[in-house]
Amino acid sequence: MNLSRLITSGTAGLAALTLTACTGLGATAQSLGSTSTTTTQTSSTASATSAASATAAEDAAAASEDSGTSGTTTGLGALDTHWDEDDLTWDPSEERAVTLADGASSTDSDGVAVDRDVITVSAGGVYRISGDLSDGQVVVTAPDDETVTLVLDGVDITSTTGPALSVVSADEVTVVLADGTDNTLTDGEGYEVADDSTPVAALASASDLTLAGSGSLTVTGRANDAISSSDGLLVTPGTGQLTLEAVDDGLRGKDYVDLLGGTITITAGDDGVKSDNTTDTDRGWVLVDGATLTVAAGDDGIKGEQTLQVSSGEVTVSSSVEGMESAWILITGGSVDVTASDDGINATAVDGVEGGSESDDGSLLQVTGGTITVAAGTDGLDVNGSAELTGGTITITSAANGGDSPVDVNGELTLDGAQVTANGTTITSADQLAVQPGGPGGGMAPAPRG
């Protein structure tokens, strides 16, 4: 894999992501240049309609085509998500009832089969599920071209043999937390999923997964993850409280994790939030754009293998080894508060791509806005490539030993516009942040720019 191409593609793709032409939420729009030295910023209001966002994307794409620039410059159309606001609109008469009860579950739908305490949804549609299973499962096996909406209306499902809620097949599945309800999903311990048909998680999905609704959901992953999708995972604006606990990862979407809302609290033995697709250059990303996210992690707080962006909302990583990690990290707004035993924010090459602790591996950290607070056991900002700090307020507390530093950059460091305080000192030039040659924090000092 060519990392320089990956970063260019990731930069381009994230521009499309934040324009949200697909979701139509009108999130803060960013148009990033194809090089690491130029950042161009535009914005739209949160109330923009789907049509307006789509029109903006189309206009920008047309402008790019007219100017003869490549798609990697504007990146429009390079990324999309599975979700549309229409996914949350249906006629109540379309709903089919599923009532859970140990040994006595029932339904009024031909698309649902009850086999003791395993309830299988085999057709697209909207299903309102209520009741409890002390040792059972809800399984979705809809055709790959059909969508399924599951309204959890006061559900408590525990399984001792697998996921509590398992999506084996469907085009996409939306889990809606009914207003005013508390819902709980708990999986078994030490089980395996036959033929790897889904991830191992309490809420496991082989299809694109959306979480919505103003109710609450508590998920406990006793075997592996709490919530995991083999495709994309999105939390919509207006989503209620998600409380996740897992022995491995808390919230995982292989292709992407798009957090547009919700109050999300995660306690994870490994990574808190993760997207780990390293194959497709327009996947493997995490976006926080409106969510309130609190993470206590045994390893990385938030990890997007290829790209990670915070544009609005609140991110608190209360404990971690490394707080935030990705090949390309962009913070344009919101608040970020990271506590880490190792590096606070770490931009580094995708796993498997050659690089070294003392060489520029092509990774990139860009901060154009927001409020960032980092308390790190070693380096505050550790960048194996280049860093551009051109906006926002950054406060760093890092290790006091001679080798580690507030900002450790192997490539070029730009400080131009960001307000930086490091270990109690106001930073006015990039050379105040450089690691000295030979220190264990990262080898040679960077070439400051700014």
Side-chain angles (χ1 to χ4, degrees):
M1 181 182 296
N2 185 311
L3 184 65
S4 63
R5 183 182 64 181
L6 180 150
I7 294 298
T8 301
S9 298
T11 303
L14 209 51
L17 161 66
T18 51
L19 278 171
T20 60
C22 178
T23 64
L25 296 176
T28 302
Q30 301 291 330
S31 177
L32 300 178
S34 58
T35 70
S36 64
T37 58
T38 303
T39 302
T40 305
Q41 182 170 332
T42 61
S43 66
S44 60
T45 65
S47 61
T49 63
S50 298
S53 297
T55 300
E58 291 166 0
D59 289 347
S64 173
E65 185 176 352
D66 290 344
S67 65
T69 59
S70 68
T72 57
T73 301
T74 65
L76 299 177
L79 290 181
D80 60 10
T81 67
H82 63 273
W83 185 67
D84 188 279
E85 288 177 277
D86 290 342
D87 294 345
L88 299 183
T89 302
W90 64 85
D91 190 320
S93 65
E94 299 174 8
E95 294 183 2
R96 296 294 177 259
V98 179
T99 302
L100 307 179
D102 290 339
S105 297
S106 61
T107 180
D108 65 358
S109 172
D110 294 337
V112 180
V114 177
D115 182 5
R116 298 184 180 181
D117 291 326
V118 176
I119 288 75
T120 302
V121 178
S122 60
V126 181
Y127 303 88
R128 182 172 291 269
I129 306 175
S130 60
D132 302 342
L133 290 175
S134 61
D135 187 5
Q137 293 177 295
V138 172
V139 181
V140 176
T141 59
D144 290 337
D145 60 350
E146 295 186 9
T147 63
V148 174
T149 299
L150 304 177
V151 182
L152 303 189
D153 191 358
V155 163
D156 188 343
I157 304 173
T158 297
S159 174
T160 63
T161 58
L165 175 52
S166 177
V167 178
V168 177
S169 61
D171 179 26
E172 61 184 78
V173 172
T174 301
V175 175
V176 179
L177 311 176
D179 296 350
T181 66
D182 297 324
N183 303 277
T184 303
L185 302 173
T186 306
D187 70 348
E189 298 180 72
Y191 64 88
E192 295 182 358
V193 174
D195 301 321
D196 295 323
S197 58
T198 71
V200 176
L203 198 174
S205 179
S207 305
D208 288 321
L209 180 66
T210 301
L211 300 175
S214 62
S216 72
L217 177 63
T218 299
V219 183
T220 303
R222 299 188 294 183
N224 195 48
D225 300 341
I227 300 177
S228 184
S229 169
S230 301
D231 288 340
L233 193 157
L234 186 145
V235 180
T236 70
T239 299
Q241 174 72 53
L242 305 179
T243 303
L244 314 181
E245 183 173 352
V247 297
D248 195 49
D249 301 329
L251 191 64
R252 171 186 171 269
K254 179 178 179 179
D255 286 348
Y256 53 82
V257 177
D258 200 355
L259 303 180
L260 305 177
T263 300
I264 307 168
T265 302
I266 298 174
T267 303
D270 195 45
D271 299 330
V273 177
K274 179 162 72 177
S275 180
D276 52 359
N277 185 330
T278 60
T279 303
D280 302 319
T281 56
D282 60 348
R283 292 295 187 247
W285 53 262
V286 175
L287 169 68
V288 181
D289 189 11
T292 299
L293 175 64
T294 302
V295 174
D299 194 6
D300 296 328
I302 308 173
K303 184 170 185 174
E305 286 284 6
Q306 304 205 50
T307 51
L308 191 165
Q309 178 177 351
V310 178
S311 58
S312 70
E314 300 178 16
V315 174
T316 302
V317 178
S318 59
S319 61
S320 64
V321 177
E322 293 189 329
M324 299 171 64
E325 182 175 278
S326 184
W328 184 62
I329 299 173
L330 171 64
I331 301 174
T332 66
S335 66
V336 174
D337 190 338
V338 169
T339 300
S341 60
D342 193 1
D343 301 322
I345 297 177
N346 180 213
T348 187
V350 171
D351 290 344
V353 177
E354 293 185 359
S357 62
E358 298 183 9
S359 61
D360 183 347
D361 67 3
S363 56
L364 177 63
L365 169 66
Q366 292 177 308
V367 178
T368 67
T371 301
I372 301 166
T373 304
V374 175
T378 55
D379 299 320
L381 310 181
D382 182 21
V383 184
N384 292 337
S386 296
E388 299 174 4
L389 312 180
T390 60
T393 301
I394 306 170
T395 303
I396 301 170
T397 302
S398 61
N401 65 63
D404 300 309
S405 75
V407 179
D408 174 9
V409 178
N410 290 350
E412 293 185 330
L413 172 61
T414 300
L415 176 59
D416 184 10
Q419 300 178 27
V420 180
T421 302
N423 295 325
T425 300
T426 300
I427 303 301
T428 57
S429 65
D431 55 11
Q432 292 177 265
L433 299 173
V435 174
Q436 297 304 310
M444 301 299 291
R449 294 190 294 118

